[in-house]
Amino acid sequence: MKDDNRILSVGIDIGTTTTSMIVSRLAVENTAMVYMAPNVELTSKQIIYRSPVYLTPLLDQETLDGEEIKRIIEKEYASAGIRPEDVDSGAVIITGESALKENARLITDKLSEFAGDFVVATAGPDLESIIAGRGAGAEAFSKTYGCVTANLDIGGGTTNISVFNCGDLVGQTCIDVGGRLIKYNKAREITYVSRRFNDVGKERNIQVIPGMTVDDNKLALAGDLLADVILDALHQEHYSFTRIATTKNSKKLTLPYPVQYISFSGGVADCFYGKEEDMYRYDDLGPCIAKALREKLPSEPYEVIEPKETIRATVVGAGIYTTEVSGSTISYSDEIFPIKNLPVFKIGERAEKALYECDTHIAREELGWFIGQSQNERIGICIKGKQKASYDDIKNLSQSLIEIDEKCLGTDTPMIILCENDMAKALGQVLKRYIKTEKCVLCLDKIKMGSGDYIDIGKPILNGIAVPIVIKTLIFS
């Protein structure tokens, strides 16, 4: 018999270099008092199965092998002793260069039978940096010890960097540096060279072409070069490496505080912390990058910490379910329900303050970044809202939100606004008054979410005065 207080969740991570799966069991509990709306929270989490880490199957350099990925997941479901119908929640995350492959969307269709009610997300480079930093524990470490902590997630094609101050994200970037910028065979003959390697190599007169052979000296030079590129991205005074290597659609790191601690995740992290001595073990540059970093870091002003997760930092452990009923002051259009797996963007404090002055510049820039990173056009906007808002406040906020919606989200999607404070009904009424199109509008209040969360919204209940919602958050072990 199924235990209603436990949720079985699966996380599938398809990255540039590796693919893996985690099965988690969550315990949930209604923490609300009697006669209050239910508030179901996660009370414990346990990883019950970890798959081996597979090389991500490719048909060619531009195409993911959907059938082979499906076979891997089928095999791992069997190894874990679970069936698709046993699984309650979870997520499929496509990251790194895999998110740019032409058939990334088709992969989610291939896996749909394993992920009926899963969050399916394609993470751009900066969003992946944040996911990796949280998954590796840098965010939690920074919050616990009140310090500035950077996590460097070094994969096959990219290095995702996120920086946290006292638990708050203060910067993120991505550079095109990873262990598989060069690949070679057992005969040590180079079979692949990323153009980016030669781009940064020009700074030191290092150029590589397929067919060349590698040796200890060449690997040492390559490792030294790429380690310098990685560390340069952390420096406040960037040199030419950062200008050349920063990933398209990402920005160089600009920090308000100096970094105190750093951690590494991704495939190269295992070589770093494991002190891999065999430079030829993986037929790529991973071990030599790790070795060069170990040699350089003693002269850098950072203290190195070891994360709880390294290669699996971007694997989603589960979807936390927080079941609530929105407050009685809501405003909605009937035809938009139900809503499933809607990604949510949280407008920052500074950007929200500007909205009350009809200044949308900061919010539009932030939302544009989020849309580009998550590759979703249908997005819910979360604001804190004022506890005591005047009519002018609500009018200005409404006009700002309409402008943001028109310029960033378009006319074909509903306008969905989620408020932490109790103001949704008034805001929704004013929005409908000023909006020029026949767009559906939904405003809900008493909902606290963050960027990157997902939400399900059911049909109205209690004669239309409330709607049931489920908030899903990406979590890690």
Side-chain angles (χ1 to χ4, degrees):
M1 183 176 178
K2 185 175 176 62
D3 184 351
D4 290 337
N5 292 327
R6 292 191 174 274
I7 290 174
L8 189 68
S9 183
V10 170
I12 300 168
D13 177 45
I14 302 170
T16 304
T17 308
T18 60
T19 291
S20 56
M21 185 182 93
I22 283 180
V23 182
S24 306
R25 194 177 301 281
L26 309 180
V28 293
E29 183 179 335
N30 183 8
T31 60
M33 298 179 68
V34 180
Y35 304 119
M36 293 183 65
N39 183 44
V40 180
E41 295 183 356
L42 177 75
T43 55
S44 69
K45 53 191 174 184
Q46 176 189 13
I47 291 181
I48 60 176
Y49 179 77
R50 296 175 182 265
S51 80
V53 177
Y54 295 86
L55 289 178
T56 298
L58 300 174
L59 293 175
D60 54 50
Q61 290 296 330
E62 300 299 326
T63 312
L64 295 164
D65 189 340
E67 289 297 332
E68 184 58 29
I69 291 172
K70 181 180 177 181
R71 279 192 287 270
I72 288 173
I73 302 306
E74 285 177 339
K75 176 184 174 183
E76 292 309 317
Y77 262 64
S79 298
I82 60 173
R83 301 167 300 172
E85 56 266 31
D86 298 328
V87 180
D88 301 293
S89 71
V92 179
I93 300 292
I94 303 179
T95 58
E97 291 183 351
S98 292
L100 305 177
K101 304 298 182 187
E102 10 180 89
N103 62 341
R105 294 282 182 185
L106 295 177
I107 298 304
T108 62
D109 294 336
K110 292 284 185 186
L111 299 180
S112 61
E113 65 187 83
F114 302 106
D117 195 31
F118 281 21
V119 168
V120 179
T122 304
D126 285 355
L127 188 55
E128 185 186 357
S129 300
I130 299 169
I131 292 173
R134 289 173 176 163
E139 179 187 50
F141 183 91
S142 169
K143 184 175 183 179
T144 300
Y145 296 102
C147 59
V148 182
T149 306
N151 184 71
L152 290 77
D153 186 73
I154 310 175
T158 57
T159 295
N160 303 98
I161 303 174
S162 54
V163 184
F164 302 90
N165 175 43
C166 299
D168 294 328
L169 179 74
V170 293
Q172 72 282 330
T173 190
C174 183
I175 57 174
D176 293 334
V177 172
R180 298 183 76 80
L181 294 193
I182 290 178
K183 293 186 279 189
Y184 50 89
N185 57 27
K186 295 302 179 184
R188 300 185 182 178
E189 181 180 72
I190 294 174
T191 58
Y192 169 77
V193 180
S194 167
R195 185 179 69 181
R196 185 63 82 207
F197 180 88
N198 283 329
D199 288 345
V200 296
K202 288 178 183 177
E203 299 297 305
R204 292 186 180 170
N205 296 317
I206 299 174
Q207 296 290 280
V208 176
I209 59 173
M212 294 175 63
T213 57
V214 297
D215 55 31
D216 292 358
N217 183 56
K218 289 176 181 175
L219 287 182
L221 286 173
D224 188 74
L225 168 69
L226 296 185
D228 281 342
V229 178
I230 291 168
L231 293 174
D232 181 50
L234 275 180
H235 296 153
Q236 290 302 287
E237 294 182 2
H238 300 294
Y239 300 100
S240 56
F241 284 142
T242 300
R243 176 180 56 80
I244 297 168
T246 300
T247 305
K248 184 180 179 182
N249 298 326
S250 184
K251 296 180 180 179
K252 68 181 183 180
L253 203 61
T254 303
L255 299 174
Y257 316 101
V259 173
Q260 298 166 290
Y261 296 88
I262 64 172
S263 61
F264 294 96
S265 59
V268 175
D270 280 0
C271 297
F272 179 87
Y273 292 108
K275 298 183 178 179
E276 179 62 60
E277 296 295 334
D278 183 358
M279 296 297 105
Y280 301 93
R281 180 173 179 181
Y282 301 109
D283 301 330
D284 63 22
L285 301 180
C288 65
I289 294 174
K291 183 174 185 292
L293 285 170
R294 287 198 303 271
E295 292 171 350
K296 292 176 181 293
L297 280 168
S299 62
E300 295 284 339
Y302 319 121
E303 184 174 337
V304 178
I305 57 174
E306 186 166 356
K308 294 180 180 179
E309 296 284 352
T310 53
I311 197 167
R312 302 172 189 271
T314 57
V315 174
V316 180
I320 298 178
Y321 271 47
T322 305
T323 305
E324 300 177 349
V325 177
S326 179
S328 60
T329 56
I330 63 173
S331 178
Y332 60 85
S333 303
D334 289 305
E335 57 267 32
I336 67 174
F337 301 108
I339 297 169
K340 302 285 287 185
N341 289 329
L342 178 77
V344 172
F345 168 73
K346 175 71 176 291
I347 292 181
E349 184 177 338
R350 179 165 159 258
E352 183 175 336
K353 184 177 180 181
L355 298 184
Y356 292 99
E357 300 171 1
C358 294
D359 179 0
T360 65
H361 175 74
I362 303 172
R364 283 190 287 115
E365 187 175 84
E366 291 178 355
L367 179 57
W369 170 84
F370 184 78
I371 292 170
Q373 292 292 307
S374 61
Q375 298 185 21
N376 278 290
E377 295 179 356
R378 191 183 189 191
I379 290 173
I381 295 177
C382 185
I383 61 173
K384 187 170 185 178
K386 290 186 176 182
Q387 288 184 327
K388 294 182 179 180
S390 67
Y391 178 78
D392 285 341
D393 286 334
I394 294 177
K395 178 183 174 181
N396 290 346
L397 177 61
S398 298
Q399 291 176 338
S400 294
L401 290 172
I402 290 169
E403 180 181 336
I404 290 169
D405 184 77
E406 288 175 348
K407 293 186 176 180
C408 297
L409 297 174
T411 59
D412 297 332
T413 58
M415 179 186 285
I416 300 172
I417 309 297
L418 309 168
C419 312
E420 289 185 24
N421 286 317
D422 188 356
M423 64 182 297
K425 192 164 191 174
L427 178 61
Q429 289 172 342
V430 176
L431 280 168
K432 289 177 182 178
R433 182 179 304 167
Y434 286 102
I435 202 163
K436 297 177 182 178
T437 64
E438 296 298 319
K439 178 186 284 284
C440 293
V441 176
L442 171 64
C443 284
L444 302 177
D445 54 24
K446 299 299 181 68
I447 298 172
K448 189 172 183 178
M449 300 183 67
S451 292
D453 287 349
Y454 292 77
I455 189 170
D456 292 351
I457 307 174
K459 293 183 178 181
I461 59 175
L462 302 176
N463 295 320
I465 66 170
V467 292
I469 67 171
V470 174
I471 299 171
K472 304 174 184 178
T473 300
L474 306 184
I475 70 165
F476 309 88
S477 61

